Amino acid sequence: MRHLKHSTKLFLIGWVVGGVAGAVGYNTPALLRLRFSLLDLNAATVGIIMNNLTAAFFSAFGPLLAAKLLNIDENNADGIAFLYMIPTVILFLNGFSVGFFTGSLAAKVTPMLMLLSIAPHGILEVPAILLSGAIGFTNVEDLGKDGFTDKKY
């Protein structure tokens, strides 16, 4: 539960920072038109889903993969701190992207339209990212306590 609260705070901080960045005047509609003119709606939807699945996977299991690849164990405090950065950055950037989108559209659309455009993401994607971040933090904490063991679960 503690890690889920931490994940939520990081996501919300990213959302606020992204919202401010989007609201202060970056020209996102031009970027969005360019990006989505190259893709049809189905391809864009699949791309967003694949991005979120990748982010969720690496947020949850990226620290374990990095620990194995970089030979980080419980005795390496700097390495453990690095492993905490993986879900931290993923959570912040996902929050930032949602905030940037909402901030850039805030002055251009009605609040109801903005709510309708974000609600589908809030139902499945955001909770999945938050939960995967909590799993990632738990994995790093467990690795920091015990290292890799040969226990069969």
Side-chain angles (χ1 to χ4, degrees):
M1 189 67 166
R2 178 179 90 240
H3 295 303
L4 189 57
K5 288 179 183 177
H6 187 69
S7 296
T8 304
K9 288 176 189 175
L10 286 168
F11 186 87
L12 290 175
I13 290 168
W15 191 335
V16 169
V17 172
V20 170
V24 295
Y26 291 101
N27 192 6
T28 55
L31 294 174
L32 290 173
R33 278 195 305 274
L34 174 64
R35 183 173 181 186
F36 290 114
S37 68
L38 301 175
L39 303 169
D40 62 44
L41 185 58
N42 291 333
T45 302
V46 170
I48 290 169
I49 291 170
M50 292 305 297
N51 176 60
N52 288 329
L53 287 173
T54 304
F57 176 82
F58 281 106
S59 183
F61 303 110
L64 296 178
L65 294 171
K68 276 291 196 187
L69 291 173
L70 300 173
N71 294 320
I72 297 172
D73 61 8
E74 69 273 13
N75 298 321
N76 185 345
D78 291 337
I80 297 295
F82 168 74
L83 296 178
Y84 274 112
M85 291 305 297
I86 295 170
T88 299
V89 169
I90 291 171
L91 287 163
F92 179 83
L93 289 178
N94 273 279
F96 183 90
S97 65
V98 173
F100 194 85
F101 178 75
T102 57
S104 64
L105 292 180
K108 298 169 185 70
V109 298
T110 65
M112 181 56 87
L113 182 59
M114 190 180 320
L115 179 66
L116 290 173
S117 67
I118 292 189
H121 303 281
I123 294 170
L124 294 175
E125 296 170 20
V126 172
I129 294 292
L130 296 177
L131 185 60
S132 66
I135 292 169
F137 289 129
T138 302
N139 285 337
V140 174
E141 185 177 280
D142 291 345
L143 178 65
K145 289 179 184 174
D146 302 325
F148 286 108
T149 61
D150 293 328
K151 296 177 188 174
K152 303 289 184 199
Y153 294 101

